[in-house]
Amino acid sequence: MHWVKVGSTDLLECEACDGTWLEATTFERLCSDRAGQAAVLQYEPPDKAPAPNQPAAAVHYRPCPRCGKLMNRMNFGRASGAIVDVCRGHGTFLERGELHQVVQFILDGGLQRTRQLELDDLIEQQRRLKDLEQAQPGFSAAGPPSGWDGGTLQQFLSALLPRSD
């Protein structure tokens, strides 16, 4: 792997797989920096991007280059389609073409759409809790039902869920 500077962004590139490593702070900065995003789009030619509808490769968990622990795989922005490898606190590894895909997702408003979906989910969860509070006397989203004496988890859950018999 070798360091490459793209605009103001330092990337570590793997010559063997064309993958890219970004330190955590660098990746966060790139996600909010339009000039850095434009530089990345100009640097990585579109022919490096994976072909659409390409068959999924076998899942491979990568070790973090800094700490050696296996990284978490996640869909960037929950909806980009770019499955990136993340080591919280250390950085993100992107396979060939994924950096371009992530930047394009951001520029197309993907992060704003993701934030709106998360807000909509929270509002829906809040509505469900209010409905449950009204339907189940003694239930409070703030804690166990009134009169609960610290019994088992099963007792607590049975107070929340309607009986099926």
Side-chain angles (χ1 to χ4, degrees):
M1 294 183 92
H2 64 279
W3 287 101
V4 175
K5 190 166 195 76
V6 179
S8 62
T9 306
D10 291 317
L11 314 171
L12 190 58
E13 288 189 335
C14 177
E15 293 174 3
C17 70
D18 289 329
T20 306
W21 169 261
L22 287 99
E23 297 288 326
T25 54
T26 302
F27 190 62
E28 288 174 22
R29 189 173 53 249
L30 179 63
C31 288
S32 62
D33 177 23
R34 294 282 186 190
Q37 294 163 6
V40 166
L41 287 179
Q42 290 175 359
Y43 174 74
E44 188 169 41
D47 64 333
K48 286 255 186 185
N53 299 323
Q54 190 175 26
V59 174
H60 174 72
Y61 288 89
R62 296 179 184 278
C64 170
R66 298 239 343 248
C67 69
K69 293 181 182 176
L70 291 181
M71 295 188 282
N72 293 317
R73 293 174 51 83
M74 59 179 280
N75 187 351
F76 178 81
R78 294 177 47 187
S80 69
I83 308 301
V84 299
D85 300 293
V86 178
C87 180
R88 189 176 302 249
H90 290 141
T92 302
F93 184 86
L94 302 104
E95 293 180 14
R96 186 179 70 161
E98 288 178 339
L99 183 57
H100 184 273
Q101 187 178 356
V102 163
V103 168
Q104 194 62 57
F105 174 77
I106 294 168
L107 291 172
D108 290 343
L111 289 180
Q112 288 85 1
R113 287 190 306 275
T114 298
R115 285 185 196 111
Q116 186 60 50
L117 288 172
E118 288 174 351
L119 179 61
D120 292 347
D121 285 347
L122 288 172
I123 291 169
E124 176 62 18
Q125 289 175 18
Q126 186 177 31
R127 184 196 62 76
R128 287 180 184 171
L129 281 174
K130 285 182 181 180
D131 289 350
L132 188 57
E133 286 175 339
Q134 291 174 355
Q136 296 288 327
F139 173 79
S140 168
S146 59
W148 187 58
D149 64 359
T152 66
L153 178 60
Q154 182 64 35
Q155 290 172 324
F156 178 68
L157 292 175
S158 66
L160 296 178
L161 303 172
R163 297 184 70 107
S164 60
D165 43 40

